[in-house]
């Protein structure tokens, strides 16, 4: 009897035979005339109209074996009720894609009604069109990056991702819409209104701290950021979707663990929005320390910010030993692969800055600041990890300090709340961790404010939309004066002074004309008797006087 060759996910079962040791997979063979000599499960049919049914066979020497054969799928009868569980009765199914199996040993699978409509049912693993048949001793494999989720079943998976990760997918859509309007509708002048420009903060345009992500310099800049954000979808949560019929993408608490599943450790819709807003503002403010007059656009700060939040979540996940509770030991390896991707992004960003002769240093400073802000957001806010279906607590990463270090000897000290990063040995008291995070965030904001005060004389170069806070030169209030107005005022002042001088000269000329002749003044001074002529002269002088 021949056997199918082993693959990477097969469990070896070595049996003596004439041809030497043989290896048998856990999936029953589907080839005619060949069977598997140990208990196995049938594969999942991707066509709801057919299914694989397991049958028991016997070899020529009396050895029991199993094989699978394809048969037409039995049409199900849709059950219309409000139950959250899929029907487990034969021939019954639910039209609710989100239904779950009530029995932990059952496997969810897809079938069709008589009208050809998709519906879901539950049955014991390995029977009919069951799942992959992974037993509880097998380990999960994590190879599917979040950026691949929307493309598994294209339109259906895109809808499921948009429904399950509303915050991040809406953010991505805003980036696309903003870039289209920026390039094809320049009349909207989004560059003027939405770009972040620090001098505009003096006029109260604080919305720029949260709108600059919508604009990008070119298509390459946009695409890189979009793929970066798609690879961080798990920050918000794992969508309710299936890798294949009956095999959910989201890991369950007990199992059996599917061959591809993802533990939901996301922080949810509202916390994702809060994290995005925080990293946008903090990255922009800290970036002004390097260059106060730089015009900032792009969603790169958010990309690095969500990476920082993911690092914090995964580090505390591993530090609290939650992966061992879920019996998914490969999660640690998958996490380090994600860390490697994030480190690659950071290295590329730094290399681009260095090769650009320091021109992009402003962006690098803002990106690293956003990375730190995302990490600090998780420590400060302590968001829930998942939707509560995996763990008994919404914050399972908070553990007693006594589990992290032997230095906590007393009962009070050992019962304090701690968080650990990567391993239990890297534990730190929760209050201390939050104080450090608050100090880092407050220090960055304070440095930004001091820098803004120091460079308050830098002009907004006409980019600002508001006139709030404008002060004219030489006055404490009133509208600002331009150079032409100042020149006109100076000319008016000179004209007024010229008019005053002309008036004084006219008065002096009048006085000179009315003065008596010098001879009359001299005779009056000598005391001469006035003659007819002299008398006349004196009288004239007196009349003039």
């Amino acid at each position: 009897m021949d056997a199918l060759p082993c693959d990477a996910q097969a469990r070896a079962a070595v049996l003596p035979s004439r041809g030497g040791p043989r290896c048998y997979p856990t999936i029953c063979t589907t080839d005619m005339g060949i069977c598997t000599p140990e208990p196995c499960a049938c594969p999942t049919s991707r066509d709801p109209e057919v299914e694989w049914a397991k049958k028991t066979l016997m070899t020529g020497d009396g050895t029991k074996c199993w094989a699978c054969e394809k048969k037409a799928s039995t049409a199900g009868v849709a059950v219309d009720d409000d139950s959250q569980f899929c029907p487990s009765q034969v021939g019954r199914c639910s039209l609710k894609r989100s239904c779950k199996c009530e029995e932990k040993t059952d496997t969810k699978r897809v079938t069709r009604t008589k009208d050809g409509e998709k519906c879901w049912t539950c049955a014991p693993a390995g029977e009919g069109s069951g799942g992959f048949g992974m037993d509880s001793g097998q380990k999960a494999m994590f190879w599917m990056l979040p950026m691949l989720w929307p493309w598994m079943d294209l339109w259906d998976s895109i809808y499921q991702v948009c429904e399950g990760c509303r915050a991040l997918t809406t953010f991505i859509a805003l980036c696309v819409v903003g870039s289209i309007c920026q390039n094809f509708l320049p009349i909207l002048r989004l560059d003027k209104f939405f770009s972040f420009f620090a001098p505009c903060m003096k006029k109260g345009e604080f919305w720029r701290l949260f709108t600059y992500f919508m604009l990008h310099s070119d298509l390459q800049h946009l695409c890189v950021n979009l793929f970066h954000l798609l690879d961080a979808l798990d920050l918000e949560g794992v969508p309710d979707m299936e890798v294949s019929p009956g095999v959910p993408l989201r890991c369950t608490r007990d199992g059996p663990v599917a061959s591809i599943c993802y533990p939901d450790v996301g922080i949810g819709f509202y916390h994702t929005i809060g994290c995005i807003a925080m990293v946008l503002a903090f990255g922009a403010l800290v970036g002004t320390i390097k260059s106060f007059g730089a015009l900032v656009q792009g969603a790169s700060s958010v990309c690095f910010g969500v990476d920082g939040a993911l690092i914090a979540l995964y580090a505390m996940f591993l530090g609290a030993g939650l992966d061992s509770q879920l019996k998914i030991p490969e999660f640690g390896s998958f996490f380090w692969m994600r860390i490697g991707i994030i480190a690659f992004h950071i290295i590329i960003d730094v290399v681009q800055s260095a090769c650009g002769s320091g021109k992009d240093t402003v962006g690098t400073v803002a990106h690293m600041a956003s990375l730190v802000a995302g990490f600090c957001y998780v420590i400060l806010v302590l968001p829930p990890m998942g939707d509560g279906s995996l763990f008994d607590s919404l914050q399972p990463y908070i553990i007693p300090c006594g589990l992290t270090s032997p230095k906590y000897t007393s009962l009070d000290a050992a019962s304090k709340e701690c968080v650990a990063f990567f391993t239990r040995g890297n534990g730190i008291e929760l209050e201390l961790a939050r104080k450090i995070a608050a100090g880092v965030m407050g220090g960055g904001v304070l440095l930004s404010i001091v820098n803004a005060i120091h460079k308050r004389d830098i002009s907004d170069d006409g980019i600002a939309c508001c006139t709030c806070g404008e002060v004219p030169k030489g006055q404490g209030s009133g509208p600002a004066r331009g150079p032409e107005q100042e020149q006109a005022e100076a000319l008016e002042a000179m004209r007024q002074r010229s008019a005053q001088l002309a008036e004084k000269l006219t008065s002096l000329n009048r006085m000179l004309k009315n003065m008596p002749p010098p001879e009359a003044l001299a005779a009056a001074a000598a005391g001469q008797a006035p003659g007819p002529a002299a008398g006349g002269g004196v009288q004239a002088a007196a009349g003039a006087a």
Side-chain angles (χ1 to χ4, degrees):
M1 180 184 68
D2 296 325
L4 294 176
C6 298
D7 56 18
Q9 299 182 15
R11 184 175 72 245
V14 179
L15 297 177
S17 66
R18 186 169 53 189
R22 296 182 185 274
C23 177
Y24 301 94
T26 58
I27 303 297
C28 299
T29 178
T30 57
D31 293 345
M32 184 67 68
I34 301 177
C35 60
T36 302
E38 66 173 38
C40 56
C42 290
T44 299
S45 173
R46 295 185 178 273
D47 185 358
E49 297 183 359
V50 297
E51 64 181 5
W52 290 101
K54 186 170 68 173
K55 62 180 180 179
T56 304
L57 301 175
M58 195 75 69
T59 63
D61 55 1
T63 303
K64 197 174 184 179
C65 62
W66 291 264
C68 292
E69 63 178 359
K70 186 178 291 188
K71 65 177 184 178
S73 177
T74 304
V77 177
V79 177
D80 187 13
D81 56 23
D82 297 330
S83 176
Q84 61 176 333
F85 301 110
C86 302
S88 57
Q89 298 89 353
V90 177
R92 303 288 180 179
C93 60
S94 173
L95 296 177
K96 297 180 180 179
R97 187 188 186 100
S98 59
C99 68
K100 303 176 182 178
C101 292
E102 186 172 8
E103 298 295 332
K104 299 179 181 178
T105 56
D106 288 356
T107 301
K108 182 179 175 182
R109 62 199 59 179
V110 64
T111 183
R112 287 190 183 275
T113 65
K114 294 180 180 180
D115 299 330
E117 192 174 3
K118 269 188 178 182
C119 61
W120 288 263
T121 184
C122 288
E127 293 185 6
S129 57
F132 286 104
M134 305 292 287
D135 62 11
S136 60
Q138 280 193 280
K139 300 177 180 180
M141 294 191 64
F142 295 87
W143 56 268
M144 184 169 290
L145 294 172
M147 70 169 61
L148 300 177
W149 294 351
W151 320 114
M152 291 193 303
D153 193 13
L154 201 56
W155 301 118
D156 286 344
S157 56
I158 289 177
Y159 172 78
Q160 291 159 359
V161 168
C162 292
E163 186 179 26
C165 303
R166 290 178 298 156
L168 281 171
T169 52
T170 302
F171 185 86
I172 290 172
L174 288 175
C175 290
V176 174
V177 172
S179 182
I180 292 174
C181 293
Q182 178 186 12
N183 290 280
F184 297 100
L185 295 174
I187 192 174
L188 297 178
R189 304 181 67 190
L190 296 186
D191 291 337
K192 178 178 176 64
F193 297 120
F194 285 177
S195 299
F196 176 77
F197 192 56
C200 295
M201 299 297 102
K202 296 183 294 183
K203 297 185 178 180
E205 299 182 4
F206 297 107
W207 71 81
R208 296 178 181 271
L209 291 168
F210 310 102
T211 58
Y212 67 91
F213 74 89
M214 297 177 62
L215 309 178
H216 290 79
S217 57
D218 51 41
L219 182 60
Q220 178 185 0
H221 188 200
L222 174 65
C223 291
V224 169
N225 285 341
L226 292 185
F227 281 110
H228 198 151
L229 290 171
L230 283 174
D231 202 36
L233 289 173
D234 52 322
L235 173 67
E236 186 173 355
V238 180
D240 185 16
M241 55 193 304
E242 296 177 342
V243 179
S244 59
V247 182
L249 176 66
R250 183 187 303 164
C251 293
T252 58
R253 181 186 299 189
D254 299 316
V257 179
S259 59
I260 303 168
C261 70
Y262 211 105
D264 186 1
V265 297
I267 61 178
F269 176 78
Y270 294 104
H271 282 290
T272 301
I273 293 177
C275 181
I276 289 175
M278 184 171 176
V279 301
L280 275 172
F282 190 78
L285 288 175
V286 175
T288 62
I289 298 176
K290 177 64 180 177
S291 178
F292 193 76
L295 191 67
V296 181
Q297 296 179 356
S300 300
S301 292
V302 179
C303 295
F304 285 91
V306 296
D307 281 346
L310 282 173
I311 292 174
L313 286 172
Y314 288 156
M316 294 191 300
F317 185 97
L318 297 175
L322 301 178
D323 55 329
S324 60
Q325 295 181 22
L326 295 178
K327 300 178 182 180
I328 46 175
E330 277 79 10
F331 183 74
S333 301
F334 180 82
F335 166 71
W336 286 113
M337 180 185 72
R338 298 293 302 279
I339 286 291
I341 295 174
I342 294 172
F344 178 75
H345 291 157
I346 296 173
I347 292 173
I348 291 296
D349 195 66
V350 173
V351 170
Q352 285 181 340
S353 175
C355 294
S357 302
K359 295 180 180 179
D360 195 39
T361 309
V362 179
T364 302
V365 172
H367 298 166
M368 298 305 104
S370 297
L371 185 77
V372 173
F375 192 97
C376 291
Y377 178 87
V378 176
I379 305 301
L380 287 171
V381 181
L382 299 176
M385 182 176 281
D387 58 359
S389 62
L390 277 179
F391 309 104
D392 297 328
S393 169
L394 290 177
Q395 299 169 323
Y397 47 81
I398 300 177
I399 57 178
C401 292
L403 298 178
T404 64
S405 174
K407 69 179 182 179
Y408 298 99
T409 55
S410 65
L411 180 60
D412 292 339
S415 60
K416 286 184 177 180
E417 292 183 336
C418 279
V419 289
F421 300 100
F422 305 113
T423 63
R424 289 282 180 89
N426 296 328
I428 181 174
E429 293 184 17
L430 182 59
E431 290 303 318
L432 177 59
R434 300 182 77 178
K435 289 179 180 178
I436 294 174
V440 171
M441 297 296 295
V445 173
L446 180 61
L447 288 176
S448 302
I449 294 174
V450 172
N451 181 67
I453 295 174
H454 176 66
K455 299 179 179 178
R456 61 185 180 275
D457 295 331
I458 296 180
S459 171
D460 58 55
D461 294 332
I463 296 178
C465 308
C466 302
T467 58
C468 175
E470 289 186 346
V471 179
K473 296 181 180 180
Q475 298 183 15
S477 60
R481 297 178 300 171
E484 295 180 356
Q485 185 177 357
E486 292 181 355
Q487 185 177 5
E489 291 178 355
L491 291 174
E492 179 64 21
M494 293 179 63
R495 188 188 66 78
Q496 292 177 359
R497 286 197 297 269
S498 300
Q500 292 175 358
L501 290 174
E503 186 177 355
K504 290 180 179 181
L505 288 174
T506 303
S507 178
L508 289 174
N509 288 331
R510 189 181 298 114
M511 290 178 63
L512 288 174
K513 289 180 180 179
N514 292 332
M515 288 181 66
E519 296 82 358
L521 293 175
Q528 294 179 351
V538 173
Q539 290 176 358

